[in-house]
Amino acid sequence: MPPADLHALVTTKRVIVACGAGGVGKTTTAAALALAGARAGRRVLVLTIDPAKRLAQALGIRESMRHPTPLSAETLAEAGVTSGSLDAWMLNPDVVFESLVHRMAPTKAQAQRVLESRLFRLLSELVAGMQEYTAAEALYELSTSGKYELVVLDTPPARNALDFLEAPGKLARFLDERIISLFLPSTTRGFFKKAQELIGNVFGRVFGAEFFAELQEFLAAFSGMFGPMRAHAEGVRRLLTSDEAAFLLVTSPDQAALEDARYFRDRIQAMKLPFAGFVLNRSWARTDGLVAPDALAGAAQAALPGARSGLAKLEVLAAAELERIKRDAALLEQLAAEVPASAFAIATPYLGEAIEDVRGLAQLARGITAPAVTASSGTGP
């Protein structure tokens, strides 16, 4: 499939999830994808994890923000956005979970009981998958709110970055009333009552009776949210496995990054998620705008001897660059051979230094959503 299919993703999908190792330009690529969607006239949100300082400034992102913030009209105009919009947010798990409690608690008073409990702040550490669940929750809530037509998620640069996909299932298992009810006061008799007493005695001895009483009060306040949270978790799973979502793997020619990308691909496919393909970043597989030394040969013949000598020296450097281009182009072909027929492998144009402003993002957005210009088209080396 041609690189133009990435344009189809940013213009038709509701969710794009960017995965990959650290140091491959994943955050920048996610921001460029979001900008490409906005340039196409869509209402877009990019959820990022930890952008570089200058990139965060360019997007108007601050770590303490409690909600997505729109890019200014001036910034959007500079990026070539005429009819779409782009909001950005550095994901804040505490804020997401607080919003979840307010939405799903049966009453405002019950929500307040949960939020005021000192156990609330410890919940993400006590419950495996709670932090990852907040990422999935934010993605689902914001993509289904009606405010945005496309949400682009930049995942953490770690091999457990996909844990947020499994978090809803883990949380649903934790929120099984049959298990939670063992911690709550009960008037029942028999074996179940004995089990509750045993758990109470153990927790009381280990943590103290006061802590166990506080835990019971917290879980009692939280219990009314179990059903809605399980239903929401299922909604997250349905969205991320649907045709409205796409998972992109950003990588670079670095061997460790390639290994991570293939690891992510295998996990995505094993989880039956919609794998869209590889994005090969920071490579020389794309030769857009580069001119081969032999294209200057005619001009050099008529130039001064010093110019011809300088060109001869540049040819040595160009030869090394051509070898790198050949290597990266072969790598791109290899990645293309490793994806299913419904997916693709593309390369971003080589833009030199790290992109840290909106103009650079706009240039990258144009490059990744337009057909690649290669040597076969006559404009490359």
Side-chain angles (χ1 to χ4, degrees):
M1 299 174 76
D5 283 325
L6 194 51
H7 175 74
L9 291 187
V10 299
T11 54
T12 63
K13 298 297 182 181
R14 201 200 311 180
V15 173
I16 296 176
V17 181
C19 306
V24 298
K26 177 173 54 62
T27 300
T28 303
T29 301
L33 289 168
L35 184 56
R39 286 169 58 89
R42 305 187 80 192
R43 302 187 307 275
V44 186
L45 167 68
V46 57
L47 285 172
T48 187
I49 304 300
D50 186 21
K53 184 176 181 181
R54 288 190 62 187
L55 180 60
Q57 291 174 343
L59 293 174
I61 296 175
R62 295 189 307 276
E63 189 173 355
S64 59
M65 294 186 335
R66 296 185 64 84
H67 51 74
T69 299
L71 272 68
S72 68
E74 294 79 8
T75 300
L76 291 176
E78 184 181 6
V81 178
T82 57
S83 59
S85 65
L86 177 57
D87 291 6
W89 191 30
M90 188 185 301
L91 195 60
N92 187 325
D94 289 341
V95 171
V96 173
F97 194 42
E98 285 181 22
S99 174
L100 176 73
V101 170
H102 281 297
R103 285 198 316 275
M104 294 191 175
T107 65
K108 289 184 178 180
Q110 192 162 337
Q112 201 62 31
R113 285 175 61 197
V114 171
L115 295 174
E116 289 178 353
S117 170
R118 66 187 179 114
L119 292 178
F120 170 70
R121 296 299 176 188
L122 299 175
L123 188 61
S124 61
E125 300 175 11
L126 293 173
V127 182
M130 183 58 80
Q131 281 195 327
E132 290 85 357
Y133 177 78
T134 61
E137 163 65 23
L139 181 66
Y140 179 74
E141 180 64 24
L142 292 167
S143 63
T144 58
S145 66
K147 184 176 180 180
Y148 302 106
E149 296 171 292
L150 170 64
V151 176
V152 180
L153 174 66
D154 165 35
T155 59
R159 284 208 164 195
N160 62 350
L162 291 177
D163 284 354
F164 83 95
L165 300 171
E166 298 173 339
K170 292 178 180 178
L171 186 65
R173 289 189 291 273
F174 172 80
L175 297 180
D176 190 325
E177 282 95 347
R178 292 171 299 179
I179 298 175
I180 295 297
S181 60
L182 291 172
F183 293 85
L184 301 177
S186 172
T187 57
T188 61
R189 298 174 179 270
F191 175 79
F192 192 76
K193 179 68 171 179
K194 293 294 184 183
Q196 288 180 314
E197 292 175 353
L198 176 61
I199 290 175
N201 290 334
V202 171
F203 269 73
R205 286 197 300 269
V206 175
F207 299 105
E210 182 180 351
F211 174 84
F212 185 65
E214 187 175 355
L215 177 63
Q216 286 184 308
E217 181 181 357
F218 175 76
L219 292 176
F222 206 77
S223 61
M225 299 167 51
F226 294 160
M229 288 183 72
R230 281 199 303 274
H232 226 228
E234 182 56 33
V236 172
R237 183 70 184 181
R238 283 197 305 269
L239 171 62
L240 294 177
T241 56
S242 73
D243 292 337
E244 294 184 293
F247 286 75
L248 283 172
L249 297 179
V250 183
T251 186
S252 73
D254 179 76
Q255 190 59 41
L258 289 168
E259 290 177 2
D260 275 345
R262 290 179 171 118
Y263 166 81
F264 281 126
R265 177 204 57 198
D266 293 343
R267 279 200 65 190
I268 287 171
Q269 292 180 326
M271 297 169 73
K272 302 188 184 305
L273 297 166
F275 171 50
F278 291 109
V279 177
L280 181 60
N281 196 25
R282 298 181 177 174
S283 80
W284 286 44
R286 289 272 294 272
T287 58
D288 310 36
L290 296 182
V291 179
D294 56 8
L296 303 175
Q301 291 298 324
L304 297 174
R308 291 196 294 270
S309 174
L311 180 62
K313 295 177 181 178
L314 289 176
E315 285 177 342
V316 176
L317 298 176
E321 291 182 352
L322 287 171
E323 283 299 314
R324 183 175 177 180
I325 290 170
K326 182 178 178 181
R327 181 204 69 187
D328 289 351
L331 173 58
L332 182 61
E333 290 183 5
Q334 180 182 344
L335 291 174
E338 296 178 12
V339 299
S342 59
F344 54 81
I346 71 165
T348 62
Y350 182 74
L351 299 179
E353 298 298 323
I355 297 172
E356 297 177 333
D357 57 33
V358 170
R359 288 193 179 207
L361 282 179
Q363 187 178 359
L364 181 59
R366 288 191 296 269
I368 61 180
T369 55
V373 180
T374 63
S376 61
S377 64
T379 59

